[in-house]
Amino acid sequence: MLEINGISKSFGGLRAVDNVSMKISEGSLVSLIGPNGAGKTTLFALITGFHKPDSGTVTFAGNDILGVKPSEIARAGMVRTFQIVQPFAGQTVRENIAVGAHLRHASRRDALDRAREVAEMVGLGDRLDQDAADLTVAGRKRLEVARALATDPKLVLFDEVLAGLNPSEIRDVIPVIRAVRDSGVTILLIEHVMQAVMSLSEYTFVLNQGRLIAEGEPRAVAADQAVIEAYLGPGMAARLKGQSAQVPA
């Protein structure tokens, strides 16, 4: 469904994304992990048309989408969420979601009806008439998911939809993400919450300093020495490895 080949992007002298290649199959739920500043969100921006890569190709549903506007990419069926959720001021939850629904529904009535359906799917059905600005952090995260789903996408790129949530809220949102995939939507998610990565994703890519350093099943990736060093630093990783080697069997 989505194929990225040799994507690179520099900002000044900083190589934010360096020769990254990935393939996402239709119907899959794939995660992209890595330490802060690894280039994950920049990669999302390159995939969805918000930034233009210096080199490489992006193919979605068999079509080259380099240089295509984000709005047209969304119309083709690929949308993304954003880390910082900003509801439209002075609008209800229903109206916020309807903004996304208008991509497919010209009629306001149809868009509002679609907004209600999506709100119920993500657990906001009882807050449709609430001012979106009054939602909790967890509610705003659900709203961001809902606005993306209202566009009736084929592929959604979720950018840290669990960030800022407490453990109980994370447990509540994980089934929502799983239900999205089960409904037929392919998912690529950036996530730091390893509980979610292990629970949800079937395959994981690891980005560090703009480069892919590992990929595979989540548990295998989490045990990869290069991945451990990327998160903890070589010194701490070596100390932990030494301590584990000293523990009697």
Side-chain angles (χ1 to χ4, degrees):
M1 173 169 275
L2 176 67
E3 191 164 350
I4 306 153
N5 286 307
I7 283 290
S8 295
K9 180 66 176 179
S10 295
F11 297 98
L14 174 65
R15 190 80 155 177
V17 175
D18 190 358
N19 195 33
V20 171
S21 297
M22 299 167 58
K23 187 174 182 179
I24 311 299
S25 300
E26 183 176 358
S28 61
L29 201 166
V30 177
S31 56
L32 175 64
I33 67 173
N36 289 329
K40 303 183 296 298
T41 295
T42 299
L43 181 59
F44 266 26
L46 293 168
I47 293 170
T48 52
F50 287 88
H51 290 319
K52 184 178 180 180
D54 299 328
S55 59
T57 61
V58 180
T59 304
F60 174 61
N63 297 310
D64 180 1
I65 58 171
L66 275 187
V68 178
K69 295 179 180 179
S71 59
E72 292 304 312
I73 292 175
R75 192 172 296 280
M78 178 166 60
V79 296
R80 62 165 296 188
T81 66
F82 294 85
Q83 289 182 27
I84 300 174
V85 185
Q86 297 179 318
F88 295 107
Q91 293 190 347
T92 65
V93 168
R94 188 196 310 266
E95 290 167 334
N96 265 262
I97 299 173
V99 171
H102 273 298
L103 183 70
R104 309 287 180 197
H105 302 281
S107 161
R108 180 165 175 78
R109 180 185 294 275
D110 290 345
L112 291 173
D113 285 345
R114 178 57 179 156
R116 175 183 51 77
E117 294 172 358
V118 174
E120 291 174 353
M121 182 188 304
V122 303
L124 291 175
D126 60 343
R127 285 171 271 185
L128 279 166
D129 297 317
Q130 179 179 340
D131 190 322
D134 294 334
L135 290 173
T136 63
V137 172
R140 290 187 178 207
K141 292 289 187 177
R142 289 175 187 260
L143 177 62
E144 185 75 351
V145 171
R147 288 194 298 198
L149 294 181
T151 67
D152 294 328
K154 300 173 184 176
L155 169 64
V156 177
L157 280 63
F158 286 137
D159 194 346
E160 295 193 38
V161 293
L162 301 178
L165 305 187
N166 64 41
S168 176
E169 291 166 338
I170 290 170
R171 286 194 297 271
D172 289 342
V173 175
I174 283 177
V176 173
I177 298 173
R178 188 177 291 118
V180 171
R181 195 282 304 275
D182 291 346
S183 72
V185 178
T186 304
I187 296 175
L188 172 60
L189 73 154
I190 291 174
E191 197 48 70
H192 282 291
V193 180
M194 293 308 294
Q195 169 192 353
V197 172
M198 295 298 179
S199 172
L200 289 169
S201 61
E202 302 146 357
Y203 199 85
T204 299
F205 292 94
V206 186
L207 201 64
N208 186 42
Q209 297 180 343
R211 294 185 176 185
L212 280 178
I213 60 170
E215 62 178 277
E217 295 182 357
R219 295 194 181 279
V221 164
D224 188 294
Q225 187 64 23
V227 175
I228 295 170
E229 289 183 3
Y231 274 94
L232 301 178
M236 178 60 74
R239 285 196 292 274
L240 289 175
K241 185 176 182 180
Q243 289 171 8
S244 62
Q246 294 171 15
V247 176

